[in-house]
């Protein structure tokens, strides 16, 4: 009986060792594949156009991108702030126009245009039908071909700065 139990124990130990070795070798293959994929990816690129205010004190970049088979660009929320001092007009339409202009400025830094935007998110303070009408009219001026990006409009009670009425972020893509 003792020898049978000993043989069973040795068999179980051998089987466990084989399973462990198989798992270990497949894990190292996965790591090699991951490493190869990482070698084929470019590092993340951060862009802050010189004609826009410096966002680094506020813990964000105007945009980030990474290249693989194409280039994705993730654009932080652009307000309707004008110039390097980020002046905010009291007029909603003016803020919409500058938010879209600022978005186009960031896109241009990546050699992209509005037509390269895949997804846009719009935050509007105290949203109503009149603000939606203004937003829509201004979007048509930028996307003249009517090939609009996917979009989400989120009504909000307040944004980062007291006088901000709109913020627009986007994801763009350019095939390589």
């Amino acid at each position: 009986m003792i020898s049978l139990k000993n043989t069973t124990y040795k068999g179980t130990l051998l089987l466990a060792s084989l399973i462990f070795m198989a798992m270990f070798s497949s894990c190292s293959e996965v790591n090699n594949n991951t490493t190869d994929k990482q070698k084929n990816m470019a590092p993340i690129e951060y862009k802050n156009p010189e004609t826009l205010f410096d966002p680094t004190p506020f813990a964000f970049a105007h945009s980030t991108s990474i290249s693989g088979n194409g280039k994705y660009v993730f654009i932080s929320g652009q307000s309707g702030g004008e110039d390097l001092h980020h002046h905010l007009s009291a007029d909603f339409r003016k803020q919409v126009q500058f938010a879209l202009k600022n978005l186009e400025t960031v896109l241009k830094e990546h050699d992209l245009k509005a037509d390269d935007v895949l997804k846009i998110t719009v935050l509007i303070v105290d949203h109503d039908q009149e603000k939606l009408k203004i937003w829509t009219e201004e979007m048509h001026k930028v996307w003249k071909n009517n090939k609009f990006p996917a979009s989400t409009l989120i009504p909000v009670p307040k944004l980062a700065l007291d006088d901000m009425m709109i913020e627009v972020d986007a994801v763009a893509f350019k095939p390589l």
Side-chain angles (χ1 to χ4, degrees):
M1 265 298 185
I2 292 176
S3 65
L4 181 62
K5 285 183 180 179
N6 193 18
T7 304
T8 303
Y9 173 76
K10 286 181 181 177
T12 303
L13 187 60
L14 178 62
L15 182 60
S17 296
L18 289 172
I19 291 170
F20 176 75
M21 288 183 345
M23 286 175 28
F24 179 74
S25 68
S26 74
C27 286
S28 68
E29 286 177 28
V30 169
N31 285 340
N32 287 340
N33 289 341
T34 302
T35 304
D36 288 343
K37 287 178 185 174
Q38 289 171 340
K39 287 179 186 174
N40 292 333
M41 297 296 288
I44 294 175
E45 185 178 344
Y46 302 87
K47 295 252 183 172
N48 292 311
E50 291 180 13
T51 57
L52 296 178
F53 75 98
D54 180 10
T56 54
F58 305 100
F60 73 95
H62 281 294
S63 65
T64 60
S65 66
I66 189 164
S67 297
N69 291 334
K71 182 177 183 177
Y72 284 94
V73 180
F74 299 87
I75 301 171
S76 293
Q78 298 299 308
S79 75
E82 302 173 37
D83 62 45
L84 292 173
H85 301 291
H86 201 251
H87 169 76
L88 291 162
S89 170
D91 179 59
F92 180 72
R93 182 178 298 275
K94 195 70 139 172
Q95 282 201 28
V96 169
Q97 290 168 341
F98 272 94
L100 290 169
K101 180 181 176 187
N102 293 341
L103 175 62
E104 288 180 300
T105 298
V106 177
L107 288 166
K108 188 175 179 181
E109 279 288 307
H110 293 275
D111 295 320
L112 296 168
K113 55 191 181 313
D115 290 342
D116 296 314
V117 174
L118 299 173
K119 172 73 170 85
I120 195 166
T121 304
V122 185
L123 306 172
I124 297 178
V125 174
D126 298 328
H127 172 68
D128 60 22
Q129 292 305 301
E130 182 58 29
K131 288 180 179 176
L132 178 60
K133 180 181 175 219
I134 291 168
W135 168 251
T136 303
E137 289 170 0
E138 296 303 324
M139 281 285 289
H140 280 275
K141 292 176 184 176
V142 174
W143 278 271
K144 294 177 178 103
N145 63 5
N146 289 337
K147 291 184 179 180
F148 299 106
S151 178
T152 301
L153 189 152
I154 304 171
V156 296
K158 184 172 174 51
L159 289 166
L161 301 174
D162 287 339
D163 296 329
M164 281 176 64
M165 292 186 252
I166 187 165
E167 187 169 1
V168 180
D169 76 26
V171 177
F173 180 79
K174 184 174 187 177
L176 295 180

